[in-house]
């Protein structure tokens, strides 16, 4: 991970995605701060830096494909796939729906026809307890995939690392909440 790219991404996240104020998180917990990564993920420079830095982490694994649970992962998947292609490593993308599509092909895993036997890197925008990305892990394992990495832009440091360690799944994040709260 290049220091300059990470430092620049930190500034984008700090100015566009870090919010102080009372919120209720997806986990149901209450917090006095929030990380809304959508403004960073949809910012052209932010998207490019995220793709570069996440792909660099995935490149350290033997992942065949990259994806994650809708909605947090969806804006990350295509830029990371493109970064892989630029580096000479095809990394097709997919996403896991929260519920099975009720029309058309009625897929739970969309974007690829078959994930069985594939080594998967799962991306996520923010992890708190890790429960959201774990839904993708469970769906992919049920479809015969092997999870080689779960990577989040930001770990709120509220249990995701333990959840994945207990499940024997490597977990990383580009940033931790303390990177922003302790400055």
């Amino acid at each position: 991970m290049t220091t300059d790219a990470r430092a620049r991404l930190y500034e984008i996240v700090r100015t566009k995605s870090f919010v102080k104020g009372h919120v209720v998180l997806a986990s149901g917990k209450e917090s006095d701060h929030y990380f809304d990564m959508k403004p960073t993920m949809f910012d052209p420079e932010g998207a490019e830096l995220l793709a570069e830095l996440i792909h660099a982490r995935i490149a350290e694994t033997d992942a065949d494909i990259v994806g994650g649970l809708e909605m947090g992962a969806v804006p990350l998947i295509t830029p990371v796939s493109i970064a892989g292609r630029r580096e000479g490593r095809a990394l097709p993308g997919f996403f896991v729906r929260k519920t099975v599509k009720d029309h058309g092909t009625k897929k739970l895993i969309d974007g690829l026809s078959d994930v069985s036997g594939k080594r998967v890197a799962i991306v996520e925008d923010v992890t708190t307890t890790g429960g959201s990305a774990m839904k993708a892990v469970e769906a992919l394992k049920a479809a015969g995939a092997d999870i080689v990495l779960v990577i989040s832009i930001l770990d709120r440091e509220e249990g995701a690392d333990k959840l994945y360690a207990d499940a024997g799944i490597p977990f990383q994040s580009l940033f931790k909440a303390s990177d922003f709260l302790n400055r």
Side-chain angles (χ1 to χ4, degrees), residues 63-94:
D64 299 313
I65 57 178
V66 62
L69 188 69
E70 68 173 347
M71 183 70 213
V74 171
L76 294 169
I77 297 163
T78 299
V80 171
S81 289
I82 292 168
R85 185 175 183 278
R86 286 188 181 140
E87 294 294 319
R89 181 178 181 192
L91 204 59
F94 68 91

Side-chain angles (χ1 to χ4, degrees), residues 111-131:
L112 293 174
S113 59
D114 186 17
V115 299
S116 180
K118 299 290 185 185
R119 294 176 306 271
V120 181
I122 294 177
V123 295
E124 179 69 295
D125 58 350
V126 177
T127 50
T128 301
T129 63

Side-chain angles (χ1 to χ4, degrees), residues 95-163:
F95 69 97
V96 178
R97 295 177 183 278
K98 291 181 181 173
T99 59
V100 174
K101 190 173 159 183
D102 66 356
H103 61 282
T105 58
K106 298 185 178 183
K107 292 180 178 180
L108 181 62
I109 300 169
D110 213 339
L112 293 174
S113 59
D114 186 17
V115 299
S116 180
K118 299 290 185 185
R119 294 176 306 271
V120 181
I122 294 177
V123 295
E124 179 69 295
D125 58 350
V126 177
T127 50
T128 301
T129 63
S132 292
M134 188 56 89
K135 290 177 186 174
V137 167
E138 291 165 355
L140 290 158
K141 283 186 169 185
D146 178 32
I147 312 305
V148 299
L149 177 66
V150 172
I151 182 166
S152 179
I153 297 171
L154 184 124
D155 178 17
R156 289 183 58 94
E157 302 173 278
E158 295 181 32
D161 57 344
K162 181 175 178 356
L163 177 74

